[in-house]
Amino acid sequence: MDRIAIISDIHGNMPALEAVLADIRNKNIQSIYCLGDLAGKGPNPAEAVDTIRENCEVVIKGNWDHFLTEHKGQEVLTWHQSRLGAERLKYLRDLPMYKEFYISGKLLRLCHASPNDLFHRVYLSTKRQERLKLFEATPTLDIEADVVGYGDIHGAHIDHFAGKTIFNVGSVGNPLDITQASYGIIEGMFNGKHPSSFSIVLVRVPYDIDLAINQAGLTDMPEKEEYIQELRTGIYRGLTKHKKEG
């Protein structure tokens, strides 16, 4: 049986990334795939990109990776872009949108938000028809997927519907469900087209949040306080703002 660790949404949080990579090594998992959002929000974008490049055999583009390479002028983007530099930005720009392969007789597709649209955001509460878009055929393999794994929403879950399976590996560096880093493990026969045993496991890893907060505190990065509050609480800044305004 083959095992692949799937991580996503690092967001420049090195203490969380290092804790997750250590956990993966302790489990003796050799293959690591990353579903994007390497940088942005957190204080160490360059270090995160370099570490992902060194440790992951597959890396997929996230929406922040897109923003950082395609947009200019916003203070928060400029801060991260200046630390990434031209070569890392080119690396992020050239990342693919999805990865798909057979495992234990199932066509499994991995993407950041959606294979054909970086900005098609899917939650557990999203209507079924919108969730089914993640399974639609891609130009690579013109058939629907059986299993889809994604990141983007920073909330880990597994669900089964319409004869298919969808799972979200949550966020390594900016979890917005509980205050622990999150990743997934899939196990099965890689490239196997015949049905056999297959599993998905979601893993939570405690990490040094105080260290991550201190690293952010030593910088002048924009939206620093919002980022720190998310690390402390696991609550998305938009929800906090809405409560204050209400």
Side-chain angles (χ1 to χ4, degrees), residues 6 11 29 38-40 43-44 50 64 67 74 86 103 127 148-149 159-160 163 173 175 188 199 212 214 217 243:
I6 305 174
H11 286 294
I29 298 173
L38 284 63
N44 293 301
D50 292 346
W64 268 90
F67 293 142
Q74 296 182 39
I103 183 167
K127 291 180 180 179
V148 169
D159 195 20
H160 308 277
S199 66
N214 288 339
K243 287 179 181 178

mmCIF file of all heavy atoms in Angstrom, residues 6 11 29 38-40 43-44 50 64 67 74 86 103 127 148-149 159-160 163 173 175 188 199 212 214 217 243:
data_model
loop_
_atom_site.group_PDB
_atom_site.id
_atom_site.type_symbol
_atom_site.label_atom_id
_atom_site.label_comp_id
_atom_site.label_asym_id
_atom_site.label_seq_id
_atom_site.Cartn_x
_atom_site.Cartn_y
_atom_site.Cartn_z
ATOM 1 N N ILE A 6 -1.006 14.894 2.505
ATOM 2 C CA ILE A 6 -1.514 16.030 1.736
ATOM 3 C C ILE A 6 -1.649 17.228 2.672
ATOM 4 O O ILE A 6 -2.409 17.183 3.642
ATOM 5 C CB ILE A 6 -2.863 15.703 1.073
ATOM 6 C CG1 ILE A 6 -2.731 14.445 0.210
ATOM 7 C CG2 ILE A 6 -3.321 16.875 0.215
ATOM 8 C CD1 ILE A 6 -4.022 13.966 -0.364
ATOM 9 N N HIS A 11 0.617 29.410 4.466
ATOM 10 C CA HIS A 11 0.506 30.841 4.769
ATOM 11 C C HIS A 11 1.679 31.374 5.585
ATOM 12 O O HIS A 11 1.493 32.172 6.518
ATOM 13 C CB HIS A 11 -0.828 31.139 5.466
ATOM 14 C CG HIS A 11 -1.998 31.091 4.531
ATOM 15 N ND1 HIS A 11 -2.164 31.994 3.507
ATOM 16 C CD2 HIS A 11 -3.048 30.230 4.447
ATOM 17 C CE1 HIS A 11 -3.267 31.698 2.832
ATOM 18 N NE2 HIS A 11 -3.826 30.627 3.383
ATOM 19 N N ILE A 29 6.167 8.533 6.169
ATOM 20 C CA ILE A 29 5.515 8.786 4.882
ATOM 21 C C ILE A 29 6.499 9.534 3.991
ATOM 22 O O ILE A 29 7.039 10.574 4.380
ATOM 23 C CB ILE A 29 4.224 9.597 5.069
ATOM 24 C CG1 ILE A 29 3.226 8.813 5.929
ATOM 25 C CG2 ILE A 29 3.605 9.958 3.724
ATOM 26 C CD1 ILE A 29 1.981 9.589 6.301
ATOM 27 N N LEU A 38 1.014 28.774 -0.230
ATOM 28 C CA LEU A 38 2.270 28.634 0.496
ATOM 29 C C LEU A 38 2.571 29.886 1.302
ATOM 30 O O LEU A 38 3.062 29.805 2.438
ATOM 31 C CB LEU A 38 3.418 28.372 -0.489
ATOM 32 C CG LEU A 38 3.531 26.975 -1.096
ATOM 33 C CD1 LEU A 38 2.338 26.600 -1.943
ATOM 34 C CD2 LEU A 38 4.802 26.884 -1.933
ATOM 35 N N ALA A 39 2.301 31.044 0.721
ATOM 36 C CA ALA A 39 2.654 32.319 1.334
ATOM 37 C C ALA A 39 1.403 33.168 1.545
ATOM 38 O O ALA A 39 0.290 32.759 1.242
ATOM 39 C CB ALA A 39 3.671 33.049 0.462
ATOM 40 N N GLY A 40 1.623 34.387 2.069
ATOM 41 C CA GLY A 40 0.515 35.285 2.353
ATOM 42 C C GLY A 40 -0.017 35.075 3.754
ATOM 43 O O GLY A 40 -0.040 33.952 4.249
ATOM 44 N N PRO A 43 4.269 35.497 8.499
ATOM 45 C CA PRO A 43 5.469 36.335 8.440
ATOM 46 C C PRO A 43 6.651 35.770 7.666
ATOM 47 O O PRO A 43 7.628 36.483 7.455
ATOM 48 C CB PRO A 43 5.850 36.482 9.921
ATOM 49 C CG PRO A 43 5.385 35.204 10.553
ATOM 50 C CD PRO A 43 4.107 34.860 9.829
ATOM 51 N N ASN A 44 6.592 34.490 7.245
ATOM 52 C CA ASN A 44 7.765 33.875 6.627
ATOM 53 C C ASN A 44 7.448 33.273 5.250
ATOM 54 O O ASN A 44 7.551 32.060 5.052
ATOM 55 C CB ASN A 44 8.325 32.797 7.542
ATOM 56 C CG ASN A 44 8.892 33.369 8.823
ATOM 57 O OD1 ASN A 44 9.800 34.197 8.803
ATOM 58 N ND2 ASN A 44 8.338 32.951 9.955
ATOM 59 N N ASP A 50 10.433 27.888 0.163
ATOM 60 C CA ASP A 50 11.643 27.080 0.028
ATOM 61 C C ASP A 50 11.481 25.709 0.667
ATOM 62 O O ASP A 50 11.930 24.690 0.117
ATOM 63 C CB ASP A 50 12.831 27.797 0.664
ATOM 64 C CG ASP A 50 13.242 29.058 -0.108
ATOM 65 O OD1 ASP A 50 12.790 29.219 -1.256
ATOM 66 O OD2 ASP A 50 13.995 29.866 0.461
ATOM 67 N N TRP A 64 -3.990 32.517 -2.983
ATOM 68 C CA TRP A 64 -2.979 33.482 -2.563
ATOM 69 C C TRP A 64 -1.760 33.436 -3.479
ATOM 70 O O TRP A 64 -1.150 34.470 -3.761
ATOM 71 C CB TRP A 64 -2.572 33.233 -1.113
ATOM 72 C CG TRP A 64 -3.363 34.030 -0.136
ATOM 73 C CD1 TRP A 64 -4.537 33.675 0.468
ATOM 74 C CD2 TRP A 64 -3.049 35.337 0.350
ATOM 75 N NE1 TRP A 64 -4.979 34.674 1.299
ATOM 76 C CE2 TRP A 64 -4.076 35.705 1.252
ATOM 77 C CE3 TRP A 64 -2.012 36.228 0.130
ATOM 78 C CZ2 TRP A 64 -4.091 36.925 1.909
ATOM 79 C CZ3 TRP A 64 -2.015 37.452 0.790
ATOM 80 C CH2 TRP A 64 -3.042 37.795 1.663
ATOM 81 N N PHE A 67 -2.859 35.566 -6.301
ATOM 82 C CA PHE A 67 -2.864 37.002 -5.975
ATOM 83 C C PHE A 67 -1.446 37.566 -5.956
ATOM 84 O O PHE A 67 -1.187 38.659 -6.479
ATOM 85 C CB PHE A 67 -3.498 37.236 -4.599
ATOM 86 C CG PHE A 67 -4.961 36.923 -4.527
ATOM 87 C CD1 PHE A 67 -5.504 36.337 -3.388
ATOM 88 C CD2 PHE A 67 -5.815 37.211 -5.580
ATOM 89 C CE1 PHE A 67 -6.846 36.040 -3.309
ATOM 90 C CE2 PHE A 67 -7.166 36.919 -5.515
ATOM 91 C CZ PHE A 67 -7.683 36.332 -4.367
ATOM 92 N N GLN A 74 -1.555 46.526 -3.717
ATOM 93 C CA GLN A 74 -2.088 46.419 -2.367
ATOM 94 C C GLN A 74 -0.943 46.254 -1.369
ATOM 95 O O GLN A 74 -0.009 45.470 -1.593
ATOM 96 C CB GLN A 74 -3.043 45.233 -2.262
ATOM 97 C CG GLN A 74 -4.288 45.361 -3.119
ATOM 98 C CD GLN A 74 -5.212 44.175 -2.928
ATOM 99 O OE1 GLN A 74 -5.385 43.665 -1.828
ATOM 100 N NE2 GLN A 74 -5.800 43.717 -4.019
ATOM 101 N N ALA A 86 11.755 37.665 -7.137
ATOM 102 C CA ALA A 86 11.298 37.338 -8.488
ATOM 103 C C ALA A 86 11.300 35.844 -8.770
ATOM 104 O O ALA A 86 10.371 35.324 -9.395
ATOM 105 C CB ALA A 86 12.170 38.065 -9.507
ATOM 106 N N ILE A 103 -6.044 5.674 -7.757
ATOM 107 C CA ILE A 103 -5.569 5.021 -6.547
ATOM 108 C C ILE A 103 -6.640 4.032 -6.103
ATOM 109 O O ILE A 103 -7.809 4.394 -5.936
ATOM 110 C CB ILE A 103 -5.213 6.038 -5.434
ATOM 111 C CG1 ILE A 103 -4.648 5.334 -4.198
ATOM 112 C CG2 ILE A 103 -6.397 6.934 -5.089
ATOM 113 C CD1 ILE A 103 -3.987 6.277 -3.210
ATOM 114 N N LYS A 127 -24.452 24.130 -1.496
ATOM 115 C CA LYS A 127 -25.439 23.295 -2.173
ATOM 116 C C LYS A 127 -24.755 22.184 -2.969
ATOM 117 O O LYS A 127 -23.679 22.366 -3.530
ATOM 118 C CB LYS A 127 -26.298 24.150 -3.104
ATOM 119 C CG LYS A 127 -27.219 25.115 -2.367
ATOM 120 C CD LYS A 127 -28.045 25.928 -3.344
ATOM 121 C CE LYS A 127 -28.970 26.881 -2.605
ATOM 122 N NZ LYS A 127 -29.785 27.703 -3.536
ATOM 123 N N VAL A 148 -12.382 13.752 -4.453
ATOM 124 C CA VAL A 148 -11.729 15.054 -4.580
ATOM 125 C C VAL A 148 -11.209 15.475 -3.214
ATOM 126 O O VAL A 148 -11.938 15.431 -2.210
ATOM 127 C CB VAL A 148 -12.692 16.124 -5.134
ATOM 128 C CG1 VAL A 148 -12.067 17.521 -5.001
ATOM 129 C CG2 VAL A 148 -13.014 15.846 -6.596
ATOM 130 N N GLY A 149 -9.940 15.886 -3.180
ATOM 131 C CA GLY A 149 -9.357 16.472 -1.987
ATOM 132 C C GLY A 149 -8.976 17.915 -2.266
ATOM 133 O O GLY A 149 -8.457 18.223 -3.344
ATOM 134 N N ASP A 159 -16.672 13.954 3.528
ATOM 135 C CA ASP A 159 -18.112 13.764 3.291
ATOM 136 C C ASP A 159 -18.299 12.833 2.098
ATOM 137 O O ASP A 159 -17.456 12.762 1.190
ATOM 138 C CB ASP A 159 -18.770 15.117 3.019
ATOM 139 C CG ASP A 159 -20.285 15.047 3.129
ATOM 140 O OD1 ASP A 159 -20.793 14.110 3.767
ATOM 141 O OD2 ASP A 159 -20.953 15.927 2.560
ATOM 142 N N HIS A 160 -19.411 12.122 2.103
ATOM 143 C CA HIS A 160 -19.770 11.212 1.018
ATOM 144 C C HIS A 160 -21.162 11.595 0.517
ATOM 145 O O HIS A 160 -22.086 11.755 1.323
ATOM 146 C CB HIS A 160 -19.786 9.757 1.509
ATOM 147 C CG HIS A 160 -18.529 9.339 2.218
ATOM 148 N ND1 HIS A 160 -17.409 8.920 1.554
ATOM 149 C CD2 HIS A 160 -18.235 9.300 3.540
ATOM 150 C CE1 HIS A 160 -16.465 8.616 2.436
ATOM 151 N NE2 HIS A 160 -16.931 8.849 3.642
ATOM 152 N N GLY A 163 -22.601 9.122 -4.382
ATOM 153 C CA GLY A 163 -21.685 8.044 -4.724
ATOM 154 C C GLY A 163 -20.224 8.459 -4.802
ATOM 155 O O GLY A 163 -19.384 7.701 -5.285
ATOM 156 N N GLY A 173 -1.039 26.219 8.378
ATOM 157 C CA GLY A 173 -0.570 27.424 9.043
ATOM 158 C C GLY A 173 -1.607 28.419 9.481
ATOM 159 O O GLY A 173 -1.265 29.407 10.153
ATOM 160 N N PRO A 175 -5.276 27.416 10.576
ATOM 161 C CA PRO A 175 -6.508 26.646 10.771
ATOM 162 C C PRO A 175 -7.630 27.516 11.326
ATOM 163 O O PRO A 175 -7.417 28.319 12.228
ATOM 164 C CB PRO A 175 -6.097 25.561 11.768
ATOM 165 C CG PRO A 175 -4.888 26.106 12.461
ATOM 166 C CD PRO A 175 -4.187 26.942 11.446
ATOM 167 N N GLY A 188 -3.570 3.746 -0.340
ATOM 168 C CA GLY A 188 -4.144 2.841 -1.337
ATOM 169 C C GLY A 188 -3.079 2.415 -2.317
ATOM 170 O O GLY A 188 -1.882 2.652 -2.110
ATOM 171 N N SER A 199 -8.129 4.489 2.005
ATOM 172 C CA SER A 199 -8.539 5.228 3.213
ATOM 173 C C SER A 199 -8.074 6.672 3.149
ATOM 174 O O SER A 199 -7.106 7.016 2.462
ATOM 175 C CB SER A 199 -7.977 4.563 4.470
ATOM 176 O OG SER A 199 -6.559 4.646 4.497
ATOM 177 N N ALA A 212 4.880 31.203 16.748
ATOM 178 C CA ALA A 212 4.358 31.753 15.495
ATOM 179 C C ALA A 212 3.882 33.188 15.689
ATOM 180 O O ALA A 212 4.111 34.052 14.822
ATOM 181 C CB ALA A 212 3.227 30.879 14.974
ATOM 182 N N ASN A 214 4.969 35.285 18.031
ATOM 183 C CA ASN A 214 6.155 36.117 18.254
ATOM 184 C C ASN A 214 6.860 36.437 16.942
ATOM 185 O O ASN A 214 7.335 37.567 16.743
ATOM 186 C CB ASN A 214 7.121 35.406 19.212
ATOM 187 C CG ASN A 214 6.610 35.378 20.636
ATOM 188 O OD1 ASN A 214 5.765 36.185 21.007
ATOM 189 N ND2 ASN A 214 7.114 34.454 21.434
ATOM 190 N N GLY A 217 4.922 39.070 15.350
ATOM 191 C CA GLY A 217 5.032 40.318 16.101
ATOM 192 C C GLY A 217 6.308 41.080 15.842
ATOM 193 O O GLY A 217 6.351 42.312 16.000
ATOM 194 N N LYS A 243 -19.230 40.280 13.956
ATOM 195 C CA LYS A 243 -19.779 40.301 15.306
ATOM 196 C C LYS A 243 -19.611 41.676 15.944
ATOM 197 O O LYS A 243 -20.506 42.189 16.621
ATOM 198 C CB LYS A 243 -19.094 39.239 16.168
ATOM 199 C CG LYS A 243 -19.513 37.809 15.817
ATOM 200 C CD LYS A 243 -18.786 36.806 16.684
ATOM 201 C CE LYS A 243 -19.206 35.375 16.311
ATOM 202 N NZ LYS A 243 -18.471 34.369 17.118
#
